[in-house]
Amino acid sequence: MALTLGLAACGNDGGTKPADGGSSAAASGTVKIGFMGDLTGSNAGIVIPPRNGAKLAIDEYNKTNPPVKIELVPYDSQGDASKAVALAQQAIKSDKIVGLVGPAFSGESAQVAPVLEEAEIPSVTASATNTNLAANGWKFWHRILPNDSVQGPGIADFIAGAAAAKTVFVIDDKSEYGKPLADAVRTQLGTKAVKVTNDSLDPAESDFSSVVNKVAASKPDAIFFGGYYAAGGNLLKQLRDKGVKDAKFFSGDGSLDKGLIDGAGAANAEGALVGCPCYIATPDVADAKVKTFADSYKAAYNTDPAIYAAEGYDAATVFVEAVKAGNTTTDKINEFLKTVDLGGVSKHVKFGANGEVEAKDIYIYQVKGGAITLLGKAAEAKLG
Amino acid sequence: MFNDFINQFWPATIDGLAFGSIYALIALGYTMVYGVLRLINFAHSEVFMIGTFGAMFVPFVFGITSPLTGIALVGMILGMILAGVLASAGTAVTLERIAYRPLRNRGASRLAALISAIGASIFLQELFALLVIPRVFDRPNQGRIQMGLPRLMEREELFSIFGHSVRVDQVLVIVAAVGMMIALDMLVNRTKIGRGIRATAQNPEAAVLMGVDINKIVRMTFLIGGGMAGVAGALYLISYENTNYYIGFLFGIKAFTAAVLGGIGNLRGALLGGVALGLVENYGAIFSGSDWKHVISFTILVLVLMFRPTGILGESLQQARA
């Protein structure tokens, strides 16, 4: 408590200094920014970290005691598009948010973005990677990480390159996220003289034995699963239990969560490789800005930053910078997003005309000793 | 494609038998309650779900995180099955008392009981997601996230069929399920309670006139059906090592399908239907994508019902001789 008061007092002193005080057209007060995603549902593990990241950015800003504070309003869609749309309407009509971080997943984004577009509310998603989202001509929609058309080929290049796989079994979960990602991997592998076998599964099920039997019969060098970690962990466990032990297991960002290891069991998950357009700050990182972020995150939540935490932080920071520059209406904030050009924690943040961020790096992570570790950028990483 | 079928025939058969056994155990609950009350107990899927959590509770309480062997393993498996049975049977009997009997006593229509069943099902799911999983299993804010069971039993190969290994957990599921079904068959056909159940199924009024206590028989029916779902829950958990508040949904639909396929109201039909459904799903998936397996199994269900509207074996619980 004393610390908070102290910080607040410091902020008060600092608050009189900035020159932007006069340029702020809106009166002092509070603006609301929403965060929407699966906060308590079955894939909440990959949404809680960006929520924490976003909250950290907002909390840091509010501690400086600015003339206009920001309130982060959580909207728990549980990843369900119909719930997400209802929540978006509530956010627009009764909460009157001026911006939204999210929605977290691609399926719900496809439904919510048109609603936000009509109400002219700017949004920045920190995790929805479906490629088609950017093709709708939405003016208020932004994405702070590369999409699946970058992620899929990046992972495929790694599978055929560094992992040197000649036969690959590609499985998808038929979702708005998993299917296109797996298709992108299939297409890219097809250009590389790699033999690809396909199957799909229903993530609502818990028995994947029919998929597992097909994989066991085809004896691939590598397996790629396009889907979320809840199904990914069960699939990996059942594969290893069925004696599919040598094939390297790959997945995308939806499976980059400790839940993959918990679901599969540490022994089964060992060595599994996960690609992601996200950057997870490890505790031993050298970059000063990233290190500060990782330390404050750990101090605030008593855990190391996980998937999309940095992206969530950056997405919220974009809104913070907009408000700092005196933009408190949705139009002005959106104008600000068009021109934003700042060095974030995860990457350099600059949006293209279609709302996509310009930086395009894909990272590869590997499960080692029951933990997710960073191998490096997909184009450069080597398998040990 | 034919080659695929040859290659995958044995693994698909073993998986189909193991999963089909679980369907069959759950299907028994649907079929028994239908036989006695002419009611589809749609909350039975949640009885199964609660069975998985009952079984989960035992290793959770003992704080077990690594595989067991010998006596400890046998004790743990028996303990989990017992806990699953207690949780499921308790739930089923409570459901009957709270959600069905008051309606029955007031002479409400079966449709009202059906709505009551659906309500109870949603209530139990949310109860687990919002209260039981966060509080009892100490997982705050993770009520809707899949809960894993640490590995208790090493996945050792017991024997192999044509080069395809059969694991100890798969054998456990099949053997335990068959054992339970033989016991149930004997209970229904050889004991006094069984005679009461059959009498009530054939003609409730006549059964009352003959001195059968209907409420007791109905309670026993829910108890036994729930117990079977509890065994299914424990076996599923031991074999697949995960569960969640929503797990009953797909299992419930599949088990109900198995009951209809075999002939609803018919105990042996539930066994046959469960195993047939498990096998058809896995064989069908060999030819098509795995995501088509529901389409294949339900197409077959429709075809069977077109030619045999009462299911493969018909409704024999009513026709059985006392």
Side-chain angles (χ1 to χ4, degrees), chain A residues 273-349:
Chain A
L273 293 141
V274 188
C276 188
C278 61
Y279 173 66
I280 301 180
T282 43
D284 56 342
V285 67
D287 185 276
K289 180 186 254 172
V290 182
K291 174 108 179 103
T292 313
F293 163 73
D295 289 346
S296 347
Y297 188 96
K298 173 113 188 173
Y301 304 108
N302 201 22
T303 173
D304 287 321
I307 182 167
Y308 304 135
E311 284 76 8
Y313 183 86
D314 285 347
T317 302
V318 170
F319 284 113
V320 166
E321 292 299 325
V323 174
K324 250 190 208 170
N327 306 295
T328 51
T329 61
T330 57
D331 288 354
K332 281 187 153 186
I333 291 176
N334 204 47
E335 281 311 307
F336 182 86
L337 292 186
K338 299 265 170 268
T339 59
V340 71
D341 188 355
L342 63 92
V345 172
S346 65
K347 60 179 65 69
H348 190 85
V349 180

Side-chain angles (χ1 to χ4, degrees), chain A residues 174 199 214 237 241-242, chain B residues 15 151 241 285 288 290-291:
Chain A
K174 293 255 155 186
D199 203 6
K214 287 185 192 198
K237 169 190 279 188
D241 282 350
K242 258 280 162 62
Chain B
D15 288 323
R151 180 139 294 183
E241 299 175 327
S288 59
S290 299
D291 49 328

